[in-house]
Amino acid sequence: MTGSPILTQMPKVGRSLDRRTAREVIADKLMVLVATNMLRPGDELPGERELANVLHVSRETVRGAIQTLAARGIIEVSQGSRSRVADVDLSDVTVTIASPNAIDSYDLEDVHAARLHIELKVVGDAADKIDTDALKKLESLLEAQKLCGDDAMRFLICDREFHVAIYRACGNPLLSDFVTDLYTYMMDYRRSAMSRPGAIEASYRDHSEIVEALRRHDREAVVAAFHQHLMRIYRTTKELLVDGSGRKQKQKGTRNPE
């Protein structure tokens, strides 16, 4: 499994991939999901088959990764029941370049502006360079997203894989790592946003349009579809950052308080 293309597209988490096993790569990916609040303490992990399908590895690799995280106290494994996320603080774990704590300390407007400025360039380059293997992966992830129903956590696991696959296709590892860090912004709010009625369906439609444009290598259409997607993310996140009286909720450690 260590030679498969999917493993060369995983976030590095500060270490070289070429000396790491598939189990270690997937363990780090699951740890990142916990560090970014996509998986929260007490959450049951999806089943091994489901994770293997989304992460494009064998069930044995997923099982080994979970055992690795259990030994580190990040996952709790109980006989006869689903594995659960332990009550751990991984906010200082580096995702690609920065920790989620570092990204979350910025103001929403600044992060949104950065995504529009950089991410649209990255996905435009991906439209020019994406290959058949990456397109097949995206199509597989779209199918997996269909099976998520209204489960925001499961959808977001697929969503992250979807976004990172596109970022990696741009051909510039530094830019792809940087926009991956931007993607993690306020992930706890994203999960709440995706729990709203119709949110998963709307995101899936966006993803379908993006993949169709990528198939055609239509840079303009990919950028337009991604712009629409980023605007949706911005609006729904902003709504959750504002309380019932219209005042922006205080963000812990924000660099630009209002």
Side-chain angles (χ1 to χ4, degrees), residues 128-172:
D128 295 336
K129 299 177 181 179
I130 196 164
D131 60 21
T132 301
D133 287 341
L135 284 169
K136 286 181 179 177
K137 179 188 176 186
L138 292 175
E139 289 163 358
S140 174
L141 286 168
L142 279 178
E143 290 300 312
Q145 289 168 23
K146 284 183 180 179
L147 303 177
C148 292
D150 59 357
D151 190 321
M153 180 259 284
R154 281 173 166 77
F155 183 84
L156 282 171
I157 292 173
C158 294
D159 184 74
R160 187 181 194 280
E161 292 297 303
F162 182 89
H163 278 252
V164 171
I166 297 173
Y167 303 155
R168 293 287 171 189
C170 82
N172 185 318

Side-chain angles (χ1 to χ4, degrees), residues 49-69:
R49 184 187 300 276
E50 185 177 354
L51 284 172
N53 182 45
V54 171
L55 299 174
H56 289 224
V57 292
S58 69
R59 291 180 65 180
E60 289 74 20
T61 297
V62 170
R63 187 177 304 122
I66 291 173
Q67 290 170 351
T68 296
L69 294 179

